[in-house]
Amino acid sequence: MTASAGNKQHKRSSQTRDTLIATAELLYASRGIDSVSLNEILAASGHKNRSAMQYHFGNREGLLQAIIDRHSQQVYALRAAFMDSVDTTACSGPALAARVFVQPIADYMDAETAGIHYVKILSQMTVQNTALIYGLEKAPITLTMDPRHRRIAADALSHLGKTEANRRTFLSVGMVFHSLADIYRLKDIANKPDELSDRRRMVEQVVCALQAYYAAPAWQ
């Protein structure tokens, strides 16, 4: 095979992979992860090669991991830029942790339609996959956390014992992804109340709620 032919084959393979991921994102976000089969994704993508899905992803978990990886790096970049710019003398502790968690995700959802799909999918996965939230090595799907973000979150929960902090972490992840997914679902609903129409203010409510949750004293 010549170098030119090899490059063309690699390009076609990359395009096939991207098409499968984009199709899966749309179907998973609109219908639910458990309601869509790999064969349906393959058919909707327009590809007829049944081995393409297994070749590129192996199984459903591999496909979901590819979706997460596709978007996570962009969210991490937004979060890193936010952490670089924030004035930690004016914003720290639970207030900083809540803002660092929520704002980059909301910004990404505003910038990319596929970002909305990404968050809708993650909101489903947090219910089903405890290991995803805790970043366990044996988890079939992993969602890594920036070390600086991890330190900021740990500082916000430093008034709690380890067990209570882990509970807050687990519940906060689900709360944020579900809340943001619901906020962006509202745009498709006609005749919604005015107070639910301003996404920016709704996102601020999520930040405030998370800040209060981080700061709350330990349960007795």
Side-chain angles (χ1 to χ4, degrees):
M1 180 184 295
T2 65
S4 177
N7 289 337
K8 288 181 180 178
Q9 183 176 354
H10 176 75
K11 184 177 180 180
R12 285 196 300 270
S13 178
S14 179
Q15 289 173 339
T16 297
R17 188 177 190 276
D18 289 344
T19 301
L20 291 171
I21 290 175
T23 304
E25 286 176 358
L26 179 60
L27 292 177
Y28 283 155
S30 60
R31 291 172 48 192
I33 293 172
D34 290 332
S35 299
V36 180
S37 70
L38 295 181
N39 285 337
E40 286 180 276
I41 295 169
L42 187 65
S45 72
H47 292 287
K48 298 180 180 180
N49 185 352
R50 290 183 176 273
S51 64
M53 192 69 74
Q54 183 174 7
Y55 173 78
H56 287 288
F57 310 109
N59 52 28
R60 187 180 75 165
E61 284 69 30
L63 175 58
L64 287 167
Q65 186 67 63
I67 291 172
I68 289 175
D69 292 344
R70 183 185 193 187
H71 297 285
S72 292
Q73 293 305 315
Q74 297 179 69
V75 174
Y76 296 160
L78 288 171
R79 182 170 286 121
F82 180 82
M83 289 187 290
D84 288 341
S85 66
V86 71
D87 180 2
T88 54
T89 62
C91 183
S92 61
L96 176 61
R99 182 69 61 184
V100 164
F101 188 178
V102 176
Q103 195 63 58
I105 301 172
D107 289 345
Y108 185 58
M109 294 174 80
D110 279 334
E112 300 285 345
T113 300
I116 300 174
H117 299 159
Y118 166 67
V119 171
K120 286 181 178 178
I121 291 167
L122 278 178
S123 72
Q124 299 172 57
M125 293 175 66
T126 55
V127 174
Q128 302 168 356
N129 198 336
T130 303
L132 172 71
I133 296 174
Y134 284 111
L136 302 179
E137 292 182 0
K138 294 182 179 180
I141 303 165
T142 58
L143 180 64
T144 58
M145 190 175 185
D146 181 284
R148 281 193 297 170
H149 182 198
R150 189 181 296 277
R151 288 195 297 271
I152 289 170
D155 179 64
L157 298 170
S158 60
H159 61 293
L160 304 173
K162 182 178 179 180
T163 299
E164 189 72 9
N166 283 341
R167 291 189 184 114
R168 298 272 175 102
T169 299
F170 175 80
L171 293 171
S172 66
V173 171
M175 180 183 78
V176 168
F177 285 125
H178 277 285
S179 296
L180 291 177
D182 286 343
I183 288 170
Y184 283 79
R185 284 190 186 99
L186 287 171
K187 74 181 184 66
D188 299 323
I189 299 176
N191 302 318
K192 54 183 171 287
D194 290 342
E195 63 268 23
L196 301 183
S197 299
D198 189 331
R199 288 208 299 271
R200 184 182 64 82
R201 290 185 181 275
M202 293 288 284
V203 169
E204 284 300 311
Q205 292 296 314
V206 178
V207 173
C208 290
L210 184 59
Q211 177 181 339
Y213 185 56
Y214 280 154
W219 179 77
Q220 300 296 327

